[in-house]
Amino acid sequence: AARVVVLVSGGGSNLAALLAAHDDPAYGARVVGVVSDRADAGGLTGARDAGVATAVVAPADFPDRAAWDAALAKTVASFGPRWVVSAGFMRILGAPFLLRFDERVLNTHPALLPAFPGAHGVRDALAYGVRVTGCTVHLVDAGTDTGPVIAQQAVEVLDDDDEATLHERIKTVERALLVDVVGRVARHGLTIEGRRVRLGG
Ligand code: GAR
């Protein structure tokens, strides 16, 4: 199976979905490490419970962003991943990291990119008043949520939604999409032509 490292900052429900899928050899991907920027990320507990190795690379332990980014890259590289999946990782990956894992880093985002990038995709979509939002799995590039789209799924906004209810419905769809995409990418690879991504080597 293709080795995958997952980056998490929070509760890690997307990570949990990947961990639920990876025991099946037919899935094609295996989470071999989970790395967080926060020692208190719930996702780390989930990983440990699943017997997956974890590491914390906290910005406060480094003199500047570049040093943190380089340390993150080194830690992730130590797991020898084929793919890196950012699943609720709330920091921008810098040049040293992306150079090392170029076109092998996937991110999941709770909006239909290029609409509503950034840390508050659900809140911003609600505030804008869109009737349809959703989630996106994309390749990470140097921008904020600007990399080529791999897959998207729509979720309707309901009249009485608030950020929490809408995010919960998005996350249900998002987990299934992420598990599907990571498995397909692991099994078949990706072909990138300009901004267009096709699954398959
Ligand atoms: C997910 O909805 C993910 O798309 C979002 O954080 C949530 C993490 O949930 N990420 C971003 O907003 C990144 N800009 P989880 O910790 O339960 O997987």
Side-chain angles (χ1 to χ4, degrees):
R3 298 172 68 83
V4 172
V5 166
V6 181
L7 306 177
V8 294
S9 299
S13 70
N14 282 286
L15 167 65
L18 291 168
L19 292 172
H22 82 160
D23 282 328
D24 179 358
Y27 182 57
R30 172 139 211 109
V31 180
V32 294
V34 172
V35 181
S36 183
D37 58 323
R38 305 172 57 117
D40 63 351
L44 292 171
T45 313
R48 287 185 200 116
D49 289 349
V52 172
T54 62
V56 175
V57 185
D61 296 335
F62 298 89
D64 54 33
R65 241 203 81 84
W68 170 76
D69 198 272
L72 184 72
K74 199 173 163 194
T75 299
V76 171
S78 74
F79 292 106
R82 174 72 182 84
W83 301 99
V84 179
V85 177
S86 154
F89 190 66
M90 302 307 279
R91 288 182 193 275
I92 304 298
L93 297 166
F97 191 96
L98 292 174
L99 278 173
R100 194 143 182 180
F101 300 104
D102 189 37
E103 296 184 335
R104 294 191 287 136
V105 186
L106 280 57
N107 179 51
T108 179
H109 182 77
L112 293 175
L113 295 171
F116 313 118
H120 306 291
V122 180
R123 188 188 304 173
D124 294 346
L126 262 183
Y128 192 94
V130 292
R131 303 307 316 216
V132 177
T133 182
C135 52
T136 302
V137 180
H138 66 96
L139 284 166
V140 176
D141 67 8
T144 302
D145 300 326
T146 53
V149 170
I150 304 172
Q152 295 185 300
Q153 199 142 334
V155 173
E156 209 179 320
V157 179
L158 305 180
D159 284 339
D160 54 0
D161 264 331
D162 58 24
E163 186 178 359
T165 59
L166 180 56
H167 200 174
E168 235 7 271
R169 278 207 323 293
I170 290 172
K171 281 172 75 165
T172 302
V173 172
E174 183 182 20
R175 287 191 284 270
L177 187 69
L178 184 68
V179 167
D180 179 56
V181 169
V182 169
R184 285 160 64 190
V185 166
R187 293 190 302 275
H188 308 301
L190 285 175
T191 307
I192 307 160
E193 281 173 34
R195 289 201 53 92
R196 301 192 64 184
V197 179
R198 209 163 30 78
L199 289 159

